[in-house]
Amino acid sequence: MRPEPERSETVAFRVDGASAAQIAAHLLRCDAQFVTALSGRVDILAYAQKIADLSVRFEAWSGDTLIGLVAAYVNSGEKSAYVTSVSVLADWLRRGIGIRLMRDCVAHARLLGLRDVRLEVHANNRSAVGLYEKLGFAAGETHAESIHMRLDLQAAEERSPLCRNR
């Protein structure tokens, strides 16, 4: 049984604060949590550098430790964002960090005027699929091991109670 982090520890949320080395260290610590270990699919150091160079990153920190990360590539021409990575350290799971980071990502996409946010998730990762569905993502194409999901930002805005009062 792993020790729980101190309840008095605060979590700071930032955008684009982590270096490639910090991202790599975080992904290595989360490696076994990925359905199909991340290290079995990508070179983590190269992937971390790509994330640092090309993505918008929504981060959760406890002190100097990156405890949660959502990274998304933004394609302004297609008015779409693609979430490439979602991870939270095991000791920090089930504390609302993942959903907060995903909400920050979606809010950022709305501010940019994007049409949608897309992602791919392993079909066996039911907790992640549930999180994305809770945020309004809908399943699209399904392959043997993965589900492509999409959040239509325009439709989500039209369904929002705030928009109905306009």
Side-chain angles (χ1 to χ4, degrees):
M1 186 171 198
R2 63 180 179 251
E4 283 198 27
E6 293 291 321
R7 293 288 178 188
S8 61
E9 288 186 48
T10 59
V11 176
F13 293 91
R14 301 181 195 147
V15 177
D16 294 341
S19 67
Q22 290 168 316
I23 295 167
H26 170 79
L27 293 174
L28 285 166
R29 289 181 66 191
C30 292
D31 188 34
Q33 292 169 227
F34 286 90
V35 177
T36 307
L38 187 60
S39 60
R41 296 180 281 140
V42 299
D43 173 329
I44 290 180
L45 297 178
Y47 183 53
Q49 187 65 57
K50 183 178 177 183
I51 286 172
D53 291 343
L54 302 175
S55 75
V56 178
R57 297 172 320 278
F58 304 90
E59 306 161 354
W61 293 82
S62 177
D64 293 333
T65 303
L66 180 61
I67 60 171
L69 174 70
V70 168
Y73 302 122
V74 175
N75 185 327
S76 300
E78 292 185 18
K79 293 201 162 281
S80 186
Y82 180 80
V83 175
T84 186
S85 185
V86 177
S87 54
V88 176
L89 294 180
D91 290 346
W92 291 87
L93 290 172
R94 309 248 182 273
R95 296 171 186 263
I97 293 169
I99 200 161
R100 161 71 190 268
L101 294 172
M102 283 297 297
R103 283 184 176 142
D104 289 350
C105 179
V106 168
H108 182 76
R110 279 196 175 99
L111 283 174
L112 294 177
L114 300 183
R115 227 183 16 243
D116 62 19
V117 179
R118 298 170 187 264
L119 56 84
E120 185 176 347
V121 62
H122 197 286
N124 292 336
N125 193 344
R126 299 310 312 159
S127 63
V129 171
L131 171 92
Y132 304 139
E133 288 174 340
K134 185 175 183 177
L135 290 166
F137 283 79
E141 273 185 54
T142 301
H143 299 284
E145 294 187 351
S146 65
I147 302 169
H148 293 260
M149 300 186 80
R150 177 177 179 264
L151 175 62
D152 181 334
L153 295 174
Q154 294 166 341
E157 189 173 309
E158 289 168 6
R159 287 190 306 266
S160 169
L162 296 174
C163 295
R164 283 188 228 132
N165 294 329
R166 288 185 195 170

